[in-house]
Amino acid sequence: MKRLSVLPTVQFCVLSLSCGAINLLPLQKATAATLDLTFTRLKLKGQEVINLNLENKAGTAIYIASLPTDYDITAIKISDINLRGGSPGKFSGFDLDAIKISKQLITDLEQIKTLPGGLDVFDFTPAGTIFTPGQKRDPGNSKFSPLFRGDYLFGSKKCGGTICVDNNIATLDNFDAFATTDARARGFISLGDKGELLFNLTKTISSLKQEPLYLYIGEVGANKEEATGRITAFGRKRRVPEPSDLGALSLMGLYLTTRIKKRKKPASLFRCGRLKRLFIK
């Protein structure tokens, strides 16, 4: 009778188990994160705003931020930080023209209107865009005060028992705002003082070091001003196996292999948790 040596098979099983454990490490529960984004105002080829209103010299300023790498982003929120600037009444607070995410960097402000590489991840219906209106500042009693009065903040409307974005007016998917406070105003939403606008993305997006993603927003009437809002991304950090994790698995594999070599028993094969003895006559 000749015993069949199956040590290579056992070693292969040990190695497979170790590799499987390594592959499962990144699938462990990720860490939730709230990330305040840093924006830079774009001034390209001498142009500072788009859609310039020649009457009041106001337009839409374009801001850009790089989404953080190694995160799975699920939502983005824009908040007014209560600087109480700009027009009062229904035009109070941060005035958002539009929002887009793209893999491309624009080289001309006008390119924002037909942004290449844009991601279709926004749902501008009340189900995907949650509006928490801020306060409307008192428009006073000047001859212009009637322009600022209204039941709801500009670009919003009543939706049942809540207030939601009226995207027929706000058109948050297009950089098309006309910066004025009269009847010609269109293409944006005013958040109100301390108001918030939460965008739940239709699918999770990931920004990679080799393939970054850029978030673009437009602030109406912000020429020669800084953005008066805070933009936050929500998501989870993708877990990368720590060196200590990989080292521990490697040591485990070496230990098991050594133990198997030292043992002198009838040939056996470890397959899927079952121990079988094999003999060849």
Side-chain angles (χ1 to χ4, degrees), residues 60-172:
T60 294
I62 305 300
Y63 291 84
I64 184 174
S66 296
L67 290 177
T69 58
D70 299 325
Y71 282 88
D72 294 326
I73 306 297
T74 58
I76 293 171
K77 182 173 70 174
I78 298 179
S79 307
D80 179 84
I81 58 176
N82 200 32
L83 290 183
R84 302 178 66 82
S87 300
K90 64 181 179 181
F91 295 104
S92 300
F94 187 98
D95 301 309
L96 179 66
D97 182 342
I99 181 169
K100 288 187 178 182
I101 296 175
S102 176
K103 300 177 183 179
Q104 303 296 323
L105 280 171
I106 62 174
T107 57
D108 185 303
L109 285 188
E110 293 298 325
Q111 290 177 345
I112 196 67
K113 298 177 182 179
T114 56
L115 187 64
L119 303 185
D120 184 16
V121 294
F122 291 103
D123 174 9
F124 296 112
T125 69
T129 302
I130 313 301
F131 182 41
T132 305
Q135 298 177 345
K136 294 186 292 183
R137 293 192 302 279
D138 186 354
N141 295 314
S142 73
K143 64 178 182 179
F144 300 107
S145 60
L147 297 175
F148 308 129
R149 295 190 182 123
D151 294 333
Y152 310 109
L153 288 160
F154 187 80
S156 66
K157 63 180 180 179
K158 188 173 182 180
C159 299
T162 63
I163 305 300
C164 65
V165 175
D166 184 352
N167 208 45
N168 290 324
I169 295 175
T171 59
L172 296 180

